[in-house]
Amino acid sequence: MGKYKLFKIPNHVSIIMDGNGRWAKRRGLPRYEGHRQGAKTLENILKFASDMGLKWLSVFAFSTENWNRPKEEIDVIMSLLVEYINTKLNKLLERNIRLRFMGRIDKLSEELQKSIKKGEEATKNCNGLNFVITLNYSGRAEIIDAVNKILKGDRKNITLEEFQKYLYIPEMPEPDLLIRTSGELRISNYMLWELAYTELYFTDVLWPDFSEEEFLKALYVYQFRERRFGSV
Ligand code: FPP
């Protein structure tokens, strides 16, 4: 029997990919090298998730607060994203992966917005894994953006179900499992609405060192969690 035998696979796994900077620092490398390595880790995990038949994988790539970082570091993250979309599109299509982005996309560079459009358009008919990259994203911003969309209409009240339709990707199911790497025990303004009943999994492993085995371990732990959604 396998060490991490799975009998229940979650529908949506979300990841806060934390610890790239520390990974680089420990090696005496510039922080952006951690992001480069982190992008490679993400590729491996995406392939693994798609092979196991996961339906939704979302990742926190850049928050609305990350603009406070040094320009050099931001430039590397942004160019990794453009490079990623431009060079991996065929692989995504081959794997039937639908690429989607969520966040305040209209505030990103023209170049990145163009790549995002291209990536989303090219993969829009893929019906394997939905791969969501949150970019210039924060949970509070998503809620405020939803409220502002609602205020443009003439509603006087709203239900939970209706509110959901104003989120960035209305059809995205709530994450069943959130993984955060690098030992930080916080949500950091990530998917505040969607995480209401999500199971949380924290590991000390830094994101660039996060392996397929670590991912499997998180899914293994998840399947023994008892989810009651507020009932008994
Ligand atoms: C958190 O580590 C990581 C980020 C803010 C950026 C994540 C970006 C990538 C993995 C690259 C994105 C690429 C693609 C293709 C989606 P940190 O810098 O906060 O690390 P620290 O806490 O150790 O400083």
Side-chain angles (χ1 to χ4, degrees), residues 14 38 77 88 112 116 133-134 137 165 173 188 196 207 209 217:
S14 195
I77 295 178
K88 302 293 173 201
L112 184 50
I116 287 174
I133 300 180
T134 62
Y137 175 86
K165 296 190 187 130
S188 299
W207 176 250
D209 291 327
K217 202 196 282 179

Side-chain angles (χ1 to χ4, degrees), residues 17-23 31 34-36 38-39 42 59-62 66 69 73 77 80-81 84 131 133 182 184 206-207:
M17 311 179 289
D18 202 3
N20 293 346
R22 276 163 284 166
W23 182 91
R31 290 180 55 86
H35 299 311
R36 271 191 221 290
L42 181 56
V59 295
F60 203 2
F62 197 82
N66 287 152
R69 296 187 175 209
E73 184 178 343
I77 295 178
L80 275 173
L81 282 156
Y84 177 81
F131 176 40
I133 300 180
S182 90
E184 308 290 350
L206 303 177
W207 176 250

Side-chain angles (χ1 to χ4, degrees), residues 179-193:
I179 299 172
R180 183 170 189 155
T181 58
S182 90
E184 308 290 350
L185 307 178
R186 287 187 294 275
I187 296 302
S188 299
N189 206 353
Y190 184 61
M191 293 209 196
L192 294 180
W193 180 272

Side-chain angles (χ1 to χ4, degrees), residues 169-206:
I169 304 181
E171 69 276 26
M172 183 179 80
E174 292 170 15
D176 301 292
L177 172 66
L178 174 75
I179 299 172
R180 183 170 189 155
T181 58
S182 90
E184 308 290 350
L185 307 178
R186 287 187 294 275
I187 296 302
S188 299
N189 206 353
Y190 184 61
M191 293 209 196
L192 294 180
W193 180 272
E194 295 87 341
L195 292 178
Y197 288 103
T198 302
E199 293 294 329
L200 308 178
Y201 178 89
F202 299 100
T203 168
D204 287 339
V205 176
L206 303 177

Side-chain angles (χ1 to χ4, degrees), residues 114-138:
K114 245 192 229 158
S115 294
I116 287 174
K117 277 212 186 84
K118 190 172 93 180
E120 288 190 329
E121 186 60 27
T123 60
K124 71 167 188 244
N125 293 321
C126 294
N127 59 6
L129 175 76
N130 287 280
F131 176 40
V132 181
I133 300 180
T134 62
L135 252 190
N136 195 20
Y137 175 86
S138 85

